[in-house]
Amino acid sequence: MRTKTLLLTAALASAGLVSSMAQQVFSVNAVGYVNKTLVPGFNLVANPLTASNNTIESLFAGLPDSTRVLKFTGSTFATAQFDELEGSYGANGALTVTPGEGVFVFIPGNQNQTITFVGEVATGTSIVNPIAQGFSIKSSKVPKAGTAEALGLQGADGDKIFQFNESTQQYRTSGYDELNGGWDPALQPLEVGEAFFYFKAAAGTVNWTQSFSVSE
Amino acid sequence: MKKTLIALVAVLVSLSTYGQGSVFFSTRDTAAGIDAKVVRAAGTVGAGLGAGGTVGPAITAQLFLVGAGGSLTPLTPATTFRTTGSAANHFYINATDVVVPGIAAGQSATFRFRAYETAAGSYDAAANSTTFQFGESNDVTVSALGGTPVGGGAPITTPTLVGLQGFTLTIVPEPGTIALGVLGGLALLARRRK
């Protein structure tokens, strides 16, 4: 799985005017694109950017007939299958994949496919990704590579991370052990556009908080 | 005491959720070799499937769980056949995920696909009538249902019905029709003996 480096292009998105004072305030949104290679079989994919249309139908357009996108619903998956006779992914094509989430994408055949994510980059000092008890598919909300821990995810005793290896089509599991002082085995780096399964052992929701600026 | 009760209920709810595997009910998947067309019974007209028919969701498609002794349990949701795109598209169902109560993710299950005219109300009603079309597929076994397996482990991706084959709908002829057919056969036999 290869991902080209994110290229950032600053763009003026909107201008807010303070009418009473002759003071103009501009917001600057960082916009970029990420190319992601999908291998035949299953890929655990994240959408690293906020697109104008974050539906499965839009994000995964142009893939081969019978491509399947599976979004985890808490206990099972909702499946969207592209059928070239229909020209769409069906009803589940309206499901969205936003930064911080992830989906399985099954690529049929024996050739790699490339998709391009285009959209706004999340920036700020408090970019929050809530994690509830149980299983969920998570990803970094900021388009950076690194281990989940290096990207700001703090584990708790009993938590597990399941990273999917496209080459072997198997999970690689790491468990968080407070007695051991961290993840065991050590986490492997995530690429931009890569998601993982997270199992949160304790009740309640915790926030995975990140910060990012375009100068990074 | 109250906290213990709440915790127990939460565990029971989560266990019941984990006790249900799922399968992806699709009749067209070129990657998996699934091309399970359903064709209307010969001589029938009207809304429904197949080339030559007008478009209309008049046929219900439903997956059944094949149990011990051949018992069949209907699964939900049922679905309908496609009505958009080319006529070739109308042989196939609108695919849907189907949850299999009582069989956990990771376990195997056997399924049969049945189709019947929606107006009949059920497959059995169609099969017991002389006016409604109905039909069923071969049995297909899935080795591991999708979902979160009981006892731990990352969720299993939802499998497809590899090996599923299509079929042609049929209508049970009226008794009068059967009788005429028998009489016709007997008449032919009598002529040959002469």
Side-chain angles (χ1 to χ4, degrees):
Chain A
M1 179 169 61
R2 298 176 292 278
T3 306
K4 286 193 177 177
T5 306
L6 173 69
L7 296 179
L8 296 179
T9 307
L12 288 174
S14 63
L17 299 176
V18 178
S19 57
S20 60
M21 313 285 286
Q23 193 176 25
Q24 292 185 334
V25 177
F26 296 91
S27 65
V28 177
N29 298 332
V31 177
Y33 73 90
V34 173
N35 287 330
K36 183 157 182 71
T37 300
L38 305 176
V39 302
F42 284 102
N43 302 259
L44 194 43
V45 177
N47 173 16
L49 304 168
T50 300
S52 57
N53 185 343
N54 285 313
T55 62
I56 288 174
E57 195 76 59
S58 175
L59 293 173
F60 300 102
L63 292 175
D65 188 36
S66 298
T67 294
R68 275 181 282 137
V69 180
L70 293 85
K71 183 172 183 179
F72 191 62
T73 61
S75 60
T76 186
F77 294 90
T79 307
Q81 180 183 50
F82 181 73
D83 189 317
E84 62 184 9
L85 291 185
E86 280 270 271
S88 82
Y89 279 92
N92 281 343
L95 296 173
T96 58
V97 188
T98 55
E101 298 177 328
V103 288
F104 268 111
V105 181
F106 178 82
I107 298 296
N110 54 12
Q111 293 195 345
N112 290 350
Q113 303 290 327
T114 300
I115 54 174
T116 301
F117 296 105
V118 179
E120 291 181 11
V121 179
T123 56
T125 57
S126 184
I127 302 166
V128 175
N129 191 351
I131 302 178
Q133 184 185 24
F135 282 102
S136 56
I137 297 181
K138 290 295 176 185
S139 62
S140 173
K141 274 195 163 184
V142 300
K144 289 178 66 176
T147 67
E149 192 168 38
L151 293 171
L153 179 57
Q154 294 184 350
D157 202 37
D159 288 359
K160 289 187 176 61
I161 285 181
F162 301 83
Q163 292 182 248
F164 192 72
N165 184 319
E166 281 88 4
S167 299
T168 64
Q169 292 287 290
Q170 299 285 333
Y171 289 109
R172 181 183 182 276
T173 308
S174 297
Y176 193 89
D177 187 343
E178 283 182 346
L179 291 180
N180 204 33
W183 295 97
D184 181 28
L187 298 174
Q188 290 190 331
L190 298 162
E191 295 190 10
V192 176
E194 181 180 353
F196 55 91
F197 256 114
Y198 194 88
F199 176 76
K200 181 178 179 299
T205 299
V206 296
N207 287 330
W208 175 8
T209 304
Q210 298 176 276
S211 63
F212 185 73
S213 68
V214 296
S215 60
E216 293 186 36
Chain B
M1 176 66 181
K2 187 177 178 183
K3 282 185 181 178
T4 307
L5 196 60
I6 292 171
L8 180 63
V9 168
V11 166
L12 288 173
V13 168
S14 66
L15 279 177
S16 68
T17 304
Y18 288 168
Q20 300 181 92
S22 61
V23 66
F24 187 53
F25 181 22
S26 168
T27 55
R28 185 176 184 274
D29 186 333
T30 53
I34 301 172
D35 186 11
K37 288 180 184 173
V38 176
V39 182
R40 285 181 289 113
T44 59
V45 296
L49 332 149
T54 57
V55 170
I59 307 290
T60 293
Q62 191 166 19
L63 206 57
F64 284 70
L65 177 66
V66 182
S71 65
L72 292 169
T73 304
L75 302 173
T76 56
T79 185
T80 53
F81 285 81
R82 300 173 185 176
T83 59
T84 58
S86 67
N89 196 29
H90 303 165
F91 293 100
Y92 306 101
I93 65 169
N94 292 306
T96 181
D97 291 294
V98 173
V99 172
V100 189
I103 301 183
Q107 295 187 339
S108 70
T110 299
F111 301 96
R112 188 181 303 172
F113 162 31
R114 286 179 150 181
Y116 59 91
E117 282 199 49
T118 306
S122 71
Y123 179 87
D124 288 341
N128 290 325
S129 77
T130 56
T131 53
F132 295 116
Q133 301 176 63
F134 64 96
E136 62 183 10
S137 73
N138 57 318
D139 288 352
V140 171
T141 298
V142 169
S143 60
L145 295 180
T148 308
V150 176
I156 300 168
T157 52
T158 313
T160 54
L161 296 166
V162 176
L164 186 68
Q165 296 170 11
F167 51 91
T168 300
L169 301 175
T170 189
I171 297 178
V172 175
E174 291 185 5
T177 309
I178 297 172
L180 283 172
V182 169
L183 284 174
L186 290 173
L188 279 173
L189 280 173
R191 280 189 182 178
R192 284 183 180 175
R193 284 176 183 173
K194 284 183 182 175

